[in-house]
Amino acid sequence: MKPRNREINIFNLSMLDVICGALGAFLILFLVAAPYYGNTSTQQDVDSGRNTFDFIGSWEVRNADIDVWIFKPDRTWAGPKDKRLFGRIKQTFEFGDNKAAYQDTTYWEAYSRRDPDAGGWAFVYHYRPGSGQNAEVTVRGVGLLNLNVGGGRRNEVVFRPVSLRPGETRIAGVMFVTRDGRPLFYEFGMAWNGEEWPQQVARRLAGETDTK
């Protein structure tokens, strides 16, 4: 008996219907979710030429209560609501500036500011004792300064990881924003007792550089 020649066609009309339906569903989900990903600056900020600044401190130890504090050029502090640093430093940030969240095993606190002031900014981590976790915690910090004028410019710095034990406070780094909007980043990671700034930190906050 002579064998029949049969063509195997995988991509029939039914398969094309399934593929097109799945692709359409993916595109709809992407269009819905796209505004929640990527740059933290809103389109309104970009259109209006506003600059934005974000700082994120993240760690991967559950139940570790890490507070991120920001010292601003006007000599006020941004930090967690209803908390104090060294019992006397309290937050004075605008509503919505600070956020805390977690995803999977990563926890973070973030600070956002539109039109950041020129001058010195310091980033400080504090490991609150008595939070049910006594392990050493490594915190990673990322600073993002988006300049939306003059065609747009994105400045990003990843600070070196800083290890803390319960009760410790450490200065992660400093950002100095010049009057023309140019940021200068400096890493530290040194312990701080809440008194005067260490000399090298004070110099960077004042805008001093190593160039003569």
Side-chain angles (χ1 to χ4, degrees):
M1 183 175 180
K2 185 177 180 181
R4 298 179 180 179
N5 293 326
R6 294 182 179 180
E7 294 183 1
I8 300 176
N9 188 358
I10 299 176
F11 297 101
N12 54 29
L13 291 177
S14 298
M15 177 61 77
L16 288 176
D17 287 341
V18 172
I19 293 175
C20 291
L23 180 59
F26 171 78
L27 291 175
I28 292 174
L29 290 174
F30 175 78
L31 291 175
V32 171
Y36 300 97
Y37 292 88
N39 199 328
T40 53
S41 305
T42 64
Q43 186 61 44
Q44 183 178 0
D45 291 332
V46 175
D47 293 341
S48 63
R50 302 188 72 171
N51 302 328
T52 60
F53 171 66
D54 300 274
F55 182 84
I56 304 100
S58 64
W59 60 96
E60 297 181 353
V61 176
R62 186 178 182 181
N63 295 330
D65 190 356
I66 308 296
D67 294 335
V68 176
W69 291 83
I70 312 293
F71 179 76
K72 300 182 291 184
D74 61 3
R75 307 188 69 80
T76 61
W77 287 84
K81 188 176 181 180
D82 299 325
K83 293 183 180 180
R84 290 177 181 258
L85 183 61
F86 300 113
R88 56 183 176 79
I89 297 175
K90 62 180 181 179
Q91 51 80 14
T92 55
F93 62 86
E94 298 84 355
F95 179 77
D97 274 1
N98 282 58
K99 301 175 183 178
Y102 71 93
Q103 181 175 358
D104 298 329
T105 59
T106 301
Y107 304 79
W108 71 84
E109 283 195 3
Y111 170 81
S112 299
R113 178 69 180 266
R114 295 178 180 177
D115 295 325
D117 299 330
W121 299 70
F123 313 113
V124 177
Y125 305 141
H126 175 64
Y127 190 168
R128 292 177 62 85
S131 58
Q133 179 59 259
N134 295 316
E136 185 177 273
V137 175
T138 298
V139 183
R140 296 170 174 82
V142 178
L144 302 170
L145 180 63
N146 295 304
L147 304 175
N148 297 317
V149 293
R153 190 164 76 247
R154 182 184 179 92
N155 300 274
E156 177 177 341
V157 61
V158 179
F159 291 98
R160 71 168 65 99
V162 176
S163 296
L164 298 98
R165 294 188 178 278
E168 272 194 326
T169 301
R170 289 186 174 271
I171 304 168
V174 166
M175 174 184 72
F176 186 85
V177 181
T178 61
R179 295 197 176 277
D180 61 355
R182 184 170 58 94
L184 304 172
F185 294 101
Y186 306 96
E187 297 179 312
F188 291 106
M190 63 179 61
W192 184 45
N193 61 7
E195 300 300 328
E196 296 293 329
W197 291 112
Q199 183 178 3
Q200 53 268 56
V201 174
R203 289 180 58 241
R204 302 310 188 190
L205 287 172
E208 296 183 24
T209 64
D210 293 329
T211 58
K212 296 182 179 180

